[in-house]
Amino acid sequence: MSPRTAPPRVLTVAGSDSGGGAGVQADLKTMLALGVHGMSVLTAVTAQNSLGVQGAWELPEEAVRAQYRSVVDDIGVQAVKTGMLASAALVEAVAELLAGTDAPAVVDPVGVSKHGDPLLAESALDSVRERLLPVATVATPNLDEVAQLTGVRVTAEGDLRRAAGAVLEFGPRWALIKGGHLPDGAEAVDLLTDGREEHWLRAPRHDNRHTHGTGCTLASAVAAGLAKGLAVPDAVRGAKEYVTGAIAAGFALGGGIGPVDHGWRFRTP
């Protein structure tokens, strides 16, 4: 038998979540569920569970560069997704690598964990603004990350457009502002825009506290869609549908906040 053609390839550049709910582990599960081949560049190791992050250790810049070149130069990629980058040095190294890669990049500017634990040094924020966001095809900040990066505080749906404009000023082609943390409403509302066209994405808000890994999962799902050749709005719509189902199926794990269910489609009758 002749070998099968490889599926589209997506590379995640992110930290490890030892509890398996977020980070590289969530990214690879999402990629498998959506039919692409996931590969990884590890930027940091965390001791993490359902209760929070007990420790984090970033990898040397040399190790991150070597992993990236090893994968991209031999296997190639159709999309790259970034998550936890930890420090200014790693942010700048990854931004340089992305700028030299002919593939769309989905940047999830991870600042804190679901439990509020910091995952990005304060000193790295300027590097995210000035080096990483300008090379992003899609930036996917949540409301806390929007405030951290731009100073814009979103308290209502009407603020999402202003938040997107502030993010776009740093240079990504598209901004996906995730409104899931808005306090009111029966819907989770996100805004995707490139400054010219707008796409408002709405889904039912599920009463489920087990949402660990939501941001990683969404960004990875967007990257999977882009790797398949979808246009940005179509990739984001598909990712929103996938993550909404994963949130609805999120399950208890340990004594704290459990993860979304990356395999929910396999378990749906």
Side-chain angles (χ1 to χ4, degrees):
M1 293 179 62
S2 59
R4 291 182 56 206
T5 302
R9 288 143 286 167
V10 182
L11 178 62
T12 171
V13 184
S16 167
D17 172 1
S18 55
V24 163
Q25 287 83 348
D27 298 339
L28 294 177
K29 292 174 187 178
T30 299
M31 293 169 192
L32 178 63
L34 295 178
V36 300
H37 177 67
M39 306 169 291
S40 62
V41 170
L42 206 63
T43 60
V45 175
T46 69
Q48 188 171 171
N49 55 27
S50 69
L51 300 174
V53 179
Q54 291 78 46
W57 301 267
E58 68 181 83
L59 269 67
E61 180 184 334
E62 178 185 7
V64 172
R65 287 183 179 275
Q67 291 175 83
Y68 191 100
R69 291 263 62 92
S70 177
V71 171
V72 173
D73 293 348
D74 173 48
I75 300 172
V77 293
Q78 276 75 57
V80 183
K81 175 262 178 184
T82 72
M84 176 186 178
L85 299 181
S87 68
L90 291 187
V91 169
E92 292 178 11
V94 170
E96 179 186 327
L97 291 164
L98 292 177
T101 303
D102 185 20
V106 180
V107 171
D108 185 15
V110 175
V112 296
S113 75
K114 178 68 69 177
H115 304 86
D117 303 292
L119 298 176
L120 180 72
E122 188 76 20
S123 59
L125 289 174
D126 281 343
S127 297
V128 172
R129 298 180 188 105
E130 298 168 9
R131 300 288 300 278
L132 187 61
L133 290 178
V135 298
T137 306
V138 187
T140 66
N142 62 30
L143 302 187
D144 290 335
E145 290 155 356
V146 166
Q148 189 179 40
L149 290 168
T150 71
V152 174
R153 302 210 170 266
V154 176
T155 59
E157 182 179 325
D159 298 327
L160 291 175
R161 185 177 286 117
R162 184 164 57 96
V167 171
L168 287 172
E169 286 184 5
F170 293 117
R173 284 178 48 203
W174 293 82
L176 174 60
I177 309 300
K178 301 177 294 191
H181 291 166
L182 285 171
D184 300 318
E187 293 180 313
V189 182
D190 305 330
L191 171 60
L192 172 71
T193 180
D194 63 353
R196 295 178 298 276
E197 56 184 90
E198 291 183 349
H199 302 268
W200 292 86
L201 304 150
R202 301 177 184 276
R205 188 184 296 276
H206 295 289
D207 185 18
N208 185 357
R209 67 187 291 262
H210 301 299
T211 57
H212 185 50
T214 306
C216 304
T217 300
L218 180 65
S220 293
V222 174
L226 295 178
K228 294 176 179 178
L230 296 179
V232 169
D234 294 329
V236 171
R237 274 191 288 267
K240 174 82 168 179
E241 178 185 352
Y242 171 73
V243 80
T244 298
I247 291 170
F251 51 87
L253 201 68
I257 299 173
V260 302
D261 185 359
H262 299 95
W264 67 272
R265 284 177 171 163
F266 307 135
R267 288 184 267 277
T268 301

